[in-house]
Amino acid sequence: MEPSTRRILLGRVHGAFGVRGELKLESFTDPPNAIFRYQPWILRDAQGRERELSGARGRLTAKGIVATFPDVADRDAADALRGTEVWAPRSALPPPKPGEYYWVDLEGLRVVNREGVDFGRVSYLFSTGANDVLVAEGERERMIPFLQPDYVVSIDFDNGVVTVDWDPEF
């Protein structure tokens, strides 16, 4: 995907909250209520259908984010959105601070080890709770802990390369 069309997954709808059409919303932003800054959103349901949404509002509660969407007026409509993903264009987010990266910016970069062995390209990243993991797909899939500088030695956006300290046989 071209950088201009890349998207960031900001959150996910977990279902209805109460009977007035409010929704339980899981936010992947920090802080969680920052999700509302990056509208309009692209909502993607489980079948892959997408629509744009503007005007969502919400509040942070002890149990997470409670949101209202302009076109959701009752519990049934809110519950119908369960599992819907909330996306935003990468361009809607502020630039990362020095030494920080949006995962989507790493996707597609070549991955090589210190000896120059090509591991393919960054397919995606995920969190295990203990640490993040970079998945490189080439002749096979490799899962490399995203720990700098232990395993991820450098990220060179100009040349499109992530250098890792990783055994090609592992």
Side-chain angles (χ1 to χ4, degrees):
M1 191 177 282
E2 292 300 313
S4 61
T5 59
R6 288 186 173 173
R7 296 178 177 171
I8 301 269
L9 179 61
L10 297 178
R12 183 173 290 113
V13 176
H14 280 287
F17 181 87
V19 295
R20 296 188 322 230
E22 293 180 304
L23 305 116
K24 292 182 281 187
L25 182 64
E26 177 183 15
S27 173
F28 304 140
T29 64
D30 184 25
N33 57 348
I35 191 170
F36 297 103
R37 293 182 200 153
Y38 308 117
Q39 296 184 54
W41 293 338
I42 297 110
L43 300 181
R44 181 185 301 154
D45 69 17
Q47 290 75 39
R49 294 180 301 238
E50 295 182 348
R51 68 182 177 100
E52 190 171 289
L53 176 81
S54 294
R57 296 186 342 237
R59 66 187 186 279
L60 191 56
T61 71
K63 294 186 176 187
I65 299 244
V66 175
T68 57
F69 290 3
D71 57 347
V72 178
D74 61 36
R75 182 174 182 83
D76 291 337
D79 209 40
L81 291 171
R82 181 184 307 270
T84 297
E85 296 174 334
V86 177
W87 293 80
R90 165 63 182 88
S91 59
L93 278 72
K97 296 175 185 163
E100 292 183 358
Y101 316 99
Y102 287 113
W103 285 357
V104 70
D105 294 340
L106 300 174
E107 292 173 1
L109 298 182
R110 271 192 26 233
V111 180
V112 299
N113 72 358
R114 289 180 183 264
E115 291 76 35
V117 176
D118 192 332
F119 290 166
R121 298 202 173 269
V122 176
S123 177
Y124 61 98
L125 293 97
F126 65 93
S127 180
T128 65
N131 59 270
D132 299 330
V133 176
L134 178 147
V135 178
E137 298 232 3
E139 83 281 354
R140 65 183 180 92
E141 182 180 85
R142 290 182 175 86
M143 295 186 187
I144 303 166
F146 195 89
L147 297 172
Q148 293 178 288
D150 299 334
Y151 302 113
V152 176
V153 177
S154 67
I155 298 171
D156 181 349
F157 285 106
D158 293 335
N159 292 309
V161 176
V162 176
T163 303
V164 297
D165 187 0
W166 199 252
D167 185 337
E169 301 304 316
F170 193 66

